[in-house]
Amino acid sequence: MGSQEVLGQAARLASSGLILQVLFRLITFVLNAFVLRFLSKEIVGVVNVRLTLLYSTTLFLAREAFRRACLSGVTQRDWSQTLNLLWLTVPLGVFWSLFLGWVWLQLLEVPDPHVVPHYATGVVLFGLSAVVELLGEPFWVLAQAHMFVKLKVIAESLSVILKSILTAFLVLWLPHWGLYIFSLAQLFYTTVLVLCYVIYFTKLLGSPESTKLQTLPVSRITDLLPNITRSGALINWKEAKLTWSFFKQSFLKQILTEGERYVMTFLNVLNFGDQGVYDIVNNLGSLVARLIFQPIEESFYIFFAKVLEREKDATLQKQEDVAVAAAVLESLLKLALLAGLTITVFGFAYSQLALDIYGGAMLSSGSGPVLLRSYCFYVLLLAINGVTECFTFAAMSKEEVDRYNFVMLALSSSFLVLSYLLTRWCGSVGFILANCFNMGIRITQSLCFIHRYYRRSPHRPLAGLHLSPVLLGTFALGGGVTAVSEVFLCCEQGWPARLAHIAVGAFCLGATLGTAFLTETKLIHFLRTQLGVPRRTDKMT
């Protein structure tokens, strides 16, 4: 498969993910806004911080390293050995869920049962839901490796929507159930997610069309179960060693990704109510990152991993592939920078209004608007880091991954210390400031790697981080106009003034996007040629 074909598939996967996720997220956005009207801040804090941290930590430690190792760009592999390796995530998940469940019940502060009932049941069911989700890991990796367009997005989005509907129904009709509601909804979510993958592959491999899919390494559903390979080896030890390298890195990355939740959970710097407000603002602020940046990062990580070879310098690889990878990286950096700047500039003047519409006075008063404004700048760093790290992790050799682990160790330690100190100094905003600091360090590390990787070649993908002065001036003018508009029109002047404030922002945003369209012609050409390609080769119709 040529680099251009891989690029086309990655672009279609990313664009399909964007469209479908925006549609499904809008539905869940409305349902979550409805649910917030019936919950206390304390229950939101326990569910979204304490229990979700248990679930995400179990999944991350059990599967993240396996995903990265098994999706690396190896053209010739024994998929039976790879699938056997992936099934090891299930016993690992059982171990981590039991160990972490014990920590959550015995070592951490237990919420007041009158305010947050059924905490112990919540811990058990959230741990069980993580193990259930790991049962679908071989199916997920096979689908990602062969770029089944829409399958991942539809499965995850359908599961999220059904979970949100069940949660809304239970909150409305059985509010006294407390954490039973969210625990059952989480278990329902993971069950539906796994069933989507199992049902899809069962129908695909059992249909006459499966004989036409010559690229698939399995011919029947039982081939996805653990089995003895032809060579007699259960797993590929090279992949297993790479998995161990990624595990050390993923353990540290998890601390960086969920660091504020660990500090809140283990150091008790905020009460459960403040944790709930912070987490709602954090989820709202990261909504665009999940909708736009995450699908792009996941799809183009696969592209870079397939096109580039880990153990070779850029000068020793096929130059056509290196050139295509550089062009794609430059365009993705430009896209991430533009999207992040747009969110940062316009999000500052519309944070309070967004929180008031989404959650009412519980969010729009107090520290909520300041938190969301700070998060808008953090989204800019998230956008750039997602692109730079997706290239870096796809191109690094095993030795470079091991060296990067030491950097991650230092970042993890500094983040925990810095977030604790900043939170003591300026409240929950300190978490976002600490995240910005560490994200800046990670971006610097990735930029240095990209510079070294391409320094002996004629390609300069880091040029994607340069914007024209005209466009930068337009951003500055739009930010100033909307800031003045917020002072005079929002948010105590009633809905006519609010609508006028929204109209001002829409005009400034349109002018900014129009300027970007006229000045960033190279990026527009990339979007037209790649994301606008007819989807004749989609594998899932």
Side-chain angles (χ1 to χ4, degrees):
M1 184 183 294
S3 58
Q4 290 292 344
E5 186 178 351
V6 176
L7 172 59
Q9 288 187 343
R12 288 191 296 273
L13 182 60
S15 59
S16 298
L18 291 178
I19 296 171
L20 290 172
Q21 285 205 39
V22 167
L23 176 62
F24 290 131
R25 288 289 181 180
L26 284 176
I27 299 174
T28 56
F29 181 85
V30 173
L31 290 172
N32 289 337
F34 169 78
V35 169
L36 281 176
R37 264 62 178 183
F38 298 89
L39 299 177
S40 67
K41 294 188 293 185
E42 288 73 20
I43 286 184
V44 173
V46 171
V47 173
N48 289 3
V49 178
R50 179 71 66 85
L51 297 182
T52 301
L53 182 63
L54 169 65
Y55 165 79
S56 63
T57 302
T58 301
L59 286 180
F60 206 97
L61 294 177
R63 78 182 182 188
E64 178 69 14
F66 290 86
R67 284 187 170 185
R68 290 199 174 274
C70 295
L71 287 174
S72 297
V74 180
T75 55
Q76 298 294 330
R77 61 156 37 112
D78 187 337
W79 269 96
S80 296
Q81 293 179 339
T82 299
L83 293 172
N84 287 342
L85 183 65
L86 287 170
W87 279 111
L88 293 178
T89 60
V90 177
L92 271 177
V94 172
F95 166 77
W96 284 116
S97 64
L98 291 175
F99 174 74
L100 294 175
W102 175 79
V103 171
W104 257 240
L105 290 173
Q106 301 298 324
L107 301 184
L108 298 181
E109 175 191 1
V110 176
D112 184 348
H114 296 95
V115 179
V116 184
H118 315 304
Y119 172 72
T121 303
V123 170
V124 173
L125 291 182
F126 267 77
L128 177 61
S129 67
V131 176
V132 171
E133 185 167 340
L134 291 171
L135 294 173
E137 197 61 18
F139 303 89
W140 186 93
V141 170
L142 186 64
Q144 287 292 101
H146 292 83
M147 292 187 176
F148 284 150
V149 179
K150 303 178 185 176
L151 172 59
K152 173 179 177 291
V153 177
I154 290 178
E156 293 185 355
S157 301
L158 179 63
S159 303
V160 169
I161 288 177
L162 293 177
K163 171 190 172 182
S164 300
I165 293 174
L166 178 62
T167 302
F169 176 81
L170 292 177
V171 165
L172 186 61
W173 293 103
L174 299 167
H176 60 281
W177 276 21
L179 292 186
Y180 282 154
I181 295 172
F182 301 95
S183 303
L184 293 174
Q186 183 67 25
L187 186 59
F188 178 72
Y189 160 78
T190 56
T191 303
V192 172
L193 181 63
V194 173
L195 285 177
C196 286
Y197 281 96
V198 173
I199 292 172
Y200 174 77
F201 275 103
T202 300
K203 289 186 175 181
L204 177 65
L205 297 176
S207 66
E209 295 181 359
S210 63
T211 57
K212 301 177 183 179
L213 300 175
Q214 300 297 328
T215 57
L216 279 179
V218 294
S219 58
R220 56 186 186 274
I221 194 67
T222 54
D223 292 340
L224 287 164
L225 301 176
N227 60 82
I228 302 297
T229 64
R230 296 175 182 176
S231 62
L234 288 176
I235 60 175
N236 184 321
W237 287 104
K238 185 177 180 180
E239 285 184 341
K241 292 178 181 178
L242 184 61
T243 301
W244 173 242
S245 297
F246 276 124
F247 174 78
K248 292 181 288 185
Q249 175 187 326
S250 64
F251 183 83
L252 300 172
K253 185 178 179 181
Q254 173 68 0
I255 296 178
L256 292 175
T257 304
E258 303 278 10
E260 65 271 15
R261 287 188 171 93
Y262 287 117
V263 173
M264 283 187 282
T265 298
F266 288 94
L267 300 180
N268 297 322
V269 293
L270 299 175
N271 59 47
F272 288 117
D274 290 339
Q275 289 180 25
V277 173
Y278 173 82
D279 192 75
I280 294 171
V281 172
N282 180 58
N283 288 333
L284 185 62
S286 63
L287 181 63
V288 177
R290 294 195 303 271
L291 288 177
I292 298 177
F293 305 137
Q294 186 175 351
I296 291 175
E297 179 182 353
E298 291 178 350
S299 301
F300 283 95
Y301 171 79
I302 298 173
F303 163 73
F304 290 128
K306 285 180 174 289
V307 169
L308 302 174
E309 297 184 50
R310 286 186 179 276
E311 306 298 330
K312 292 184 179 180
D313 186 77
T315 57
L316 301 178
Q317 301 195 43
K318 187 177 178 181
Q319 291 307 299
E320 179 186 354
D321 292 344
V322 173
V324 171
V328 171
L329 178 58
E330 180 180 350
S331 297
L332 290 179
L333 284 173
K334 183 81 70 175
L335 180 63
L337 181 60
L338 286 175
L341 272 177
T342 302
I343 294 167
T344 300
V345 170
F346 292 97
F348 184 87
Y350 291 88
S351 293
Q352 185 176 356
L353 179 59
L355 291 176
D356 191 66
I357 294 174
Y358 185 64
M362 181 182 76
L363 298 181
S364 61
S365 60
S367 62
V370 178
L371 281 171
L372 190 54
R373 290 187 181 109
S374 304
Y375 205 96
C376 287
F377 175 72
Y378 179 51
V379 168
L380 170 61
L381 300 180
L382 276 176
I384 297 173
N385 181 73
V387 173
T388 55
E389 281 198 348
C390 96
F391 177 88
T392 300
F393 291 146
M396 275 183 172
S397 65
K398 179 183 179 300
E399 291 73 20
E400 288 170 323
V401 171
D402 290 334
R403 286 197 298 268
Y404 192 78
N405 288 335
F406 291 101
V407 178
M408 298 290 281
L409 177 62
L411 286 175
S412 303
S413 303
S414 65
F415 173 79
L416 294 177
V417 174
L418 190 62
S419 60
Y420 178 78
L421 294 176
L422 289 176
T423 305
R424 289 293 187 186
W425 175 47
C426 54
S428 52
V429 177
F431 286 122
I432 300 177
L433 297 178
N435 272 314
C436 289
F437 174 80
N438 282 277
M439 195 61 66
I441 300 296
R442 288 168 63 178
I443 290 173
T444 302
Q445 291 290 325
S446 297
L447 292 179
C448 290
F449 174 83
I450 295 170
H451 174 73
R452 291 195 305 269
Y453 191 85
Y454 279 104
R455 64 184 173 184
R456 296 180 182 177
S457 73
H459 310 293
R460 296 295 178 264
L462 294 183
L465 294 176
H466 299 156
L467 295 179
S468 69
V470 175
L471 182 55
L472 289 174
T474 306
F475 271 117
L477 181 61
V481 171
T482 53
V484 173
S485 173
E486 182 184 30
V487 172
F488 290 99
L489 299 176
C490 188
C491 291
E492 306 298 333
Q493 309 299 322
W495 270 105
R498 292 183 176 189
L499 293 175
H501 179 49
I502 294 173
V504 171
F507 176 78
C508 293
L509 178 60
T512 303
L513 295 179
T515 304
F517 184 84
L518 295 175
T519 57
E520 302 299 336
T521 54
K522 192 173 182 180
L523 173 62
I524 299 302
H525 176 73
F526 172 79
L527 295 176
R528 281 178 170 174
T529 55
Q530 298 303 328
L531 301 186
V533 173
R535 304 177 184 182
R536 294 189 298 269
T537 58
D538 282 6
K539 292 183 179 178
M540 179 179 177
T541 57

